Amino acid sequence: MDPATRSDLPVEPRWFRFTAVDERTTLIEEPHVRDLLRANAWHRRGRDRDVLVDCGLGVAALAPLLRERFGRDPVLVITHAHLDRMGSAYEFDEVWAHPLEAVGDPAPGSLRGPVLAAQLGMDWVLPPMLLNARPDRGYDIDGYRVRPAKPTRDLTDGDVVDLGDHTLTVLHLPGHSPGSIALFDARDGTLFSGDVLYDDELLDNLPGSDPGQYARSLRRLRGLPVSRTLPGHGSSFDRPRLHRLIDDYLRHG
């Protein structure tokens, strides 16, 4: 093994950062992951059930921290089966996803940029290492793989995730991937958008992407009464920003 795999990165045992967004919503980040794979996971508290929207890379264990912080295990909803969305999925008993996403047989992934680019068939120039720290001294960068998870419920368009005191509606919005979904709280206009929409360049050229479907999904999204978007990457944004991002893609995409 290359000694740099173990010794060149600093150790950061506090791998996750938790930020309360409101009384029921918590943002979960992995701050020591570099830009391409630095993703948001969202925990939404309900009266009868909690939901976790995506779960990060799986570099460090997430489920025990959620149990300690919130007192119970959430249902995990995977917006799509890319490594930054489902890396920790194997830790959870309840895993819900669209049936077109290969949750049970995911691509292996890598934490080395050139290896990941080759797996994706992309000519991207990525950093040699996609982490800037490691969770413990013995962590093996080259041993990283996305572990399969067993879906316990298929989610399709219009399905409802019932948390007891409020519900989230599943929106099937293909384009970034065949089974990409978002969750929408029609009561307060909150959208958990996954990678369907975020405030940066939208990726429609990955394996399984479809620009035509992406455009149709975004047109549908533009017509919904979304008040705030909690995206899979970057900062949250309001309805006017959502419209500008969609219009820019449709104009130039």
Side-chain angles (χ1 to χ4, degrees):
M1 178 186 299
D2 180 355
T5 298
R6 293 184 183 272
S7 62
D8 279 6
L9 297 177
V11 174
E12 294 288 352
R14 295 175 66 88
W15 191 254
F16 297 98
R17 180 168 61 209
F18 292 78
T19 304
V21 175
D22 56 38
E23 68 278 2
R24 67 175 75 240
T25 310
T26 300
L27 168 62
I28 304 169
E29 301 168 277
E30 295 176 283
H32 306 294
V33 177
R34 294 188 184 274
D35 285 347
L36 177 70
L37 297 182
R38 186 183 301 156
N40 301 329
W42 300 94
H43 185 279
R44 172 60 78 97
R45 185 76 167 174
R47 185 192 64 208
D48 301 337
R49 169 187 288 153
D50 299 346
V51 65
L52 178 67
V53 184
D54 295 325
C55 60
L57 281 171
V59 169
L62 176 58
L65 299 180
L66 300 180
R67 197 174 302 121
E68 177 182 351
R69 187 180 187 93
F70 299 107
R72 60 185 177 186
D73 293 325
V75 167
L76 172 62
V77 170
I78 299 173
T79 61
H80 60 290
H82 289 167
L83 71 165
D84 55 340
R85 300 284 141 214
M86 65 158 292
S88 290
Y90 70 93
E91 300 178 38
F92 295 87
D93 293 332
E94 289 290 329
V95 179
W96 300 357
H98 195 279
L100 290 179
E101 294 297 303
V103 173
D105 186 25
S110 176
L111 300 176
R112 292 192 182 270
V115 176
L116 182 62
Q119 288 179 357
L120 296 173
M122 308 298 289
D123 59 0
W124 294 337
V125 178
L126 298 178
M129 198 78 71
L130 296 173
L131 307 180
N132 58 30
R134 53 200 163 122
D136 58 70
R137 292 190 181 279
Y139 186 74
D140 179 8
I141 295 288
D142 291 314
Y144 175 85
R145 295 291 184 276
V146 181
R147 295 172 59 172
K150 182 179 180 181
T152 55
R153 177 183 171 185
D154 287 342
L155 292 177
T156 56
D157 192 65
D159 285 348
V160 171
V161 178
D162 188 352
L163 303 185
D165 52 353
H166 66 293
T167 61
L168 303 171
T169 300
V170 176
L171 306 175
H172 179 213
L173 299 169
H176 180 73
S177 71
S180 282
I181 60 172
L183 296 179
F184 182 53
D185 185 344
R187 181 193 57 174
D188 67 4
T190 297
L191 176 74
F192 297 92
S193 64
D195 281 3
V196 173
L197 189 65
Y198 48 89
D199 199 346
D200 203 341
E201 180 183 359
L202 301 180
L203 297 180
D204 61 5
N205 58 348
L206 298 172
S209 297
D210 185 315
Q213 286 189 329
Y214 214 146
R216 288 190 290 275
S217 292
L218 292 179
R219 289 189 186 98
R220 178 188 179 192
L221 199 54
R222 199 186 191 289
L224 296 177
V226 176
S227 60
R228 66 169 178 171
T229 299
L230 306 183
H233 295 277
S235 300
S236 303
F237 47 90
D238 60 13
R239 181 178 178 84
R241 184 61 181 162
L242 175 141
H243 285 178
R244 285 195 294 272
L245 292 169
I246 291 175
D247 292 346
D248 285 348
Y249 178 87
L250 295 176
R251 187 179 304 116
H252 304 295

